[in-house]
Amino acid sequence: MKLFTKLPLLALLAVFTLSSCTTDSIDDKAEAIELSLVEIETKAIEVEILDLINDHRLSLGLNPLIEMSVVKSVAYSHTDYMVDNNIVSHDNFYTRSSYLKSNAGAKKVSENVAYGYSSAESVVRAWIKSEGHKANIEGDFTNFDVSAERNEDGRYYYTNIFIKK
């Protein structure tokens, strides 16, 4: 297939596999969920993602973001939801945002989600190439964390949440 005919397909794929969200940009239409704090063991790919994001921020003269276990727990709950439902979404974002405002002292909450990227470098690079995701990565935040979970086919789903305290 010629490049000209592949470009629309690639653009459509990017729209369906990457998504960013802020409290200002979404209505919660999915069923409400209950969130609770769970301890999740950090994976090497998650550490790499956080390091790559902070390296990017530092290269721009921005403050590095600090990891936060409650943010990780909330990110994990959403990634687990996406894996269970085989979707990439911001379903229940308002619930996550409200929970973090009540339980982590967040004043502002934002998130990036993705699916299918096999490495930390590839998902962070894709987020940085996308205007909305890049705005979250470079935004005025203080803390963050990420969850990367594999589905039964071994493909990763990602939720990266940013908060400002």
Side-chain angles (χ1 to χ4, degrees):
M1 208 186 297
K2 293 183 179 179
L3 180 60
F4 181 72
T5 58
K6 288 183 181 179
L7 286 177
L9 292 173
L10 290 173
L12 186 60
L13 179 63
V15 168
F16 285 114
T17 60
L18 285 171
S19 187
S20 68
C21 186
T22 66
T23 52
D24 300 329
S25 68
I26 192 165
D27 291 324
D28 234 6
K29 294 179 182 166
E31 290 180 26
I33 59 166
E34 281 193 43
L35 296 173
S36 59
L37 188 62
V38 293
E39 288 293 322
I40 307 300
E41 188 172 325
T42 302
K43 298 173 190 66
I45 192 169
E46 295 166 338
V47 172
E48 290 176 58
I49 290 168
L50 298 176
D51 288 345
L52 288 167
I53 289 172
N54 269 338
D55 289 347
H56 176 77
R57 289 178 61 86
L58 288 168
S59 76
L60 299 173
L62 300 171
N63 63 299
L65 302 177
I66 301 165
E67 298 166 42
M68 196 171 191
S69 61
V70 65
V71 175
K72 177 156 191 67
S73 178
V74 172
Y76 171 79
S77 72
H78 185 60
T79 306
D80 192 47
Y81 168 86
M82 292 192 300
V83 169
D84 286 349
N85 292 283
N86 197 31
I87 58 170
V88 179
S89 77
H90 291 289
D91 291 353
N92 305 301
F93 176 75
Y94 182 75
T95 302
R96 288 188 297 287
S97 176
S98 294
Y99 184 89
L100 290 168
K101 287 175 180 176
S102 296
N103 294 282
K107 292 182 174 79
K108 180 169 102 172
V109 180
S110 192
E111 74 180 15
N112 290 342
V113 297
Y115 163 76
Y117 294 91
S118 60
S119 70
E121 295 83 7
S122 63
V123 73
V124 172
R125 189 174 353 159
W127 280 334
I128 289 171
K129 287 182 179 181
S130 163
E131 188 176 318
H133 299 95
K134 183 177 179 181
N136 288 341
I137 288 171
E138 296 175 0
D140 182 21
F141 297 105
T142 55
N143 300 83
F144 72 155
D145 224 310
V146 67
S147 171
E149 299 298 327
R150 291 180 188 240
N151 67 7
E152 59 189 31
D153 297 328
R155 301 197 75 174
Y156 275 110
Y157 284 79
Y158 303 90
T159 304
N160 185 198
I161 298 178
F162 304 85
I163 70 168
K164 178 177 182 164
K165 292 182 87 176

